Amino acid sequence: MITREQIPEVLDHQVYDAEGKKIGEAGHVFLDDVTGQPEWASVRTGLFGTHETFVPIHDATVVEDHLEVPYSKDQVKDAPHVDVDQGGHLSEEEEQRLYQYYGIDWGAYGQQEGRTETGTGTATTGRTETGAGTTGRAGAGAGIRGRDRDDAMTRSEEEMRVGVERHEAGKARLRKYVVTENVQKTVPVRREEVRVEREPITEENVDEAMRGPEITEGEYEVTLHEERPVVETEVHPVERVRLTTDEHTDEEIVEGQVRKERIEEERGTGDKKRRR
């Protein structure tokens, strides 16, 4: 059970479920009008804490720097939304609806705690140094106010907190494939051609010319050669390619809604009001 002294350890601290899963951050603590003990806590959930739900803390415990409640994370996040009146109270109908959702017998539970018929709670915010500032009790002390009571009304505002989360935006990969290209190169080739040479008989070659029979038939042939292009390929590395990422920072405008409490002062039966 959470005591009044433990309220500063609850406000603005993380709330975990029975399985150790983080639910959100505690925003307000509501006290019972009769016992003065903490009964409910509002938990800010969602990406930026914009959603607020209620969870009973009668059976909750403070563990180190967070609050543990005997309910699952989904159960708390899906709790019905309730409205708190200007005096910081839960109405009887709203509280009964929450008890019914969490499977708590409102009648038996209220009688056990000495709860009055209205069964409303008093809102406590974490704005003061001790983390506990209570509103005035509805319907009590309307005549003479005791000096030992704090009759101040706490006004609270929501603050939008903006964060970022990292997620995959796409994938890039390197893929190697083979293409065939036609390449043309000019290469010189040589070939042999037949050319007939004639030389006159001279004193130097007359002896060689007179060898052999005087009149005869004969043949002489010469083998011709030519060059032809030969194509061969060889593989050698050209470059190395890899993927790298560069980080760029852009600015985006984020819009959200925050709630602010306003305190209205009424005097007498007139219709003039002052707002703050």
Side-chain angles (χ1 to χ4, degrees):
M1 180 177 180
I2 305 301
T3 63
R4 292 176 63 95
E5 291 74 16
Q6 292 177 305
I7 291 179
E9 303 177 32
V10 175
L11 294 172
D12 297 327
H13 285 71
Q14 296 296 331
V15 180
Y16 287 75
D17 67 1
E19 298 179 355
K21 297 179 181 178
K22 184 173 68 175
I23 303 175
E25 188 177 88
H28 299 80
V29 172
F30 288 75
L31 307 179
D32 182 84
D33 274 347
V34 178
T35 65
Q37 296 301 317
E39 291 294 330
W40 296 92
S42 63
V43 183
R44 294 189 290 263
T45 62
L47 180 59
F48 302 115
T50 55
H51 184 62
E52 192 169 22
T53 58
F54 283 77
V55 60
I57 58 174
H58 182 269
D59 297 325
T61 56
V62 175
V63 179
E64 296 179 353
D65 59 345
H66 64 271
L67 178 68
E68 287 189 1
V69 294
Y71 304 99
S72 66
K73 177 180 180 179
D74 293 337
Q75 186 177 10
V76 176
K77 292 180 64 176
D78 296 337
H81 176 74
V82 298
D83 294 322
V84 180
D85 62 22
Q86 293 183 355
H89 287 74
L90 289 173
S91 67
E92 179 180 346
E93 292 79 8
E94 298 284 18
E95 194 169 23
Q96 285 186 12
R97 189 153 63 99
L98 286 172
Y99 274 129
Q100 183 179 4
Y101 174 78
Y102 284 102
I104 301 175
D105 187 355
W106 182 84
Y109 190 80
Q111 184 177 3
Q112 177 184 354
E113 293 294 331
R115 188 184 299 272
T116 59
E117 183 180 357
T118 57
T120 57
T122 305
T124 302
T125 64
R127 304 301 180 188
T128 62
E129 182 178 358
T130 59
T134 60
T135 65
R137 297 178 181 177
I144 301 176
R145 300 177 182 269
R147 295 183 178 273
D148 58 344
R149 291 176 47 221
D150 184 5
D151 295 318
M153 183 179 294
T154 300
R155 187 177 68 86
S156 303
E157 295 183 357
E158 290 181 342
E159 178 183 354
M160 186 172 70
R161 299 179 181 178
V162 180
V164 296
E165 64 177 2
R166 190 179 183 90
H167 62 91
E168 291 187 2
K171 291 186 177 181
R173 63 172 58 91
L174 289 177
R175 184 172 62 89
K176 184 170 68 173
Y177 57 95
V178 178
V179 296
T180 302
E181 297 180 354
N182 292 327
V183 179
Q184 290 184 353
K185 289 188 177 182
T186 301
V187 56
V189 293
R190 295 176 301 176
R191 71 175 184 275
E192 295 177 345
E193 294 182 354
V194 175
R195 180 167 54 85
V196 178
E197 293 184 356
R198 299 175 184 272
E199 61 180 15
I201 303 299
T202 63
E203 292 181 358
E204 287 80 9
N205 61 13
V206 63
D207 294 336
E208 185 177 357
M210 294 299 293
R211 292 177 185 175
E214 295 180 355
I215 302 297
T216 183
E217 294 181 355
E219 291 182 357
Y220 181 76
E221 66 179 19
V222 176
T223 301
L224 303 177
H225 298 85
E226 67 178 5
E227 294 179 338
R228 296 178 180 178
V230 177
V231 178
E232 294 182 355
T233 60
E234 63 178 3
V235 179
H236 61 90
V238 177
E239 63 179 354
R240 292 177 60 82
V241 182
R242 64 173 55 88
L243 286 177
T244 59
T245 60
D246 297 327
E247 187 172 282
H248 300 274
T249 301
D250 300 325
E251 293 186 353
E252 294 187 5
I253 299 177
V254 179
E255 295 183 357
Q257 294 182 343
V258 295
R259 297 178 300 171
K260 298 182 179 180
E261 296 177 345
R262 294 292 184 261
I263 297 177
E264 182 179 274
E265 178 184 353
E266 297 184 2
R267 293 189 178 184
T269 58
D271 57 354
K272 293 184 177 180
K273 300 178 182 179
R274 292 194 300 174
R275 297 179 180 269
R276 181 162 67 92

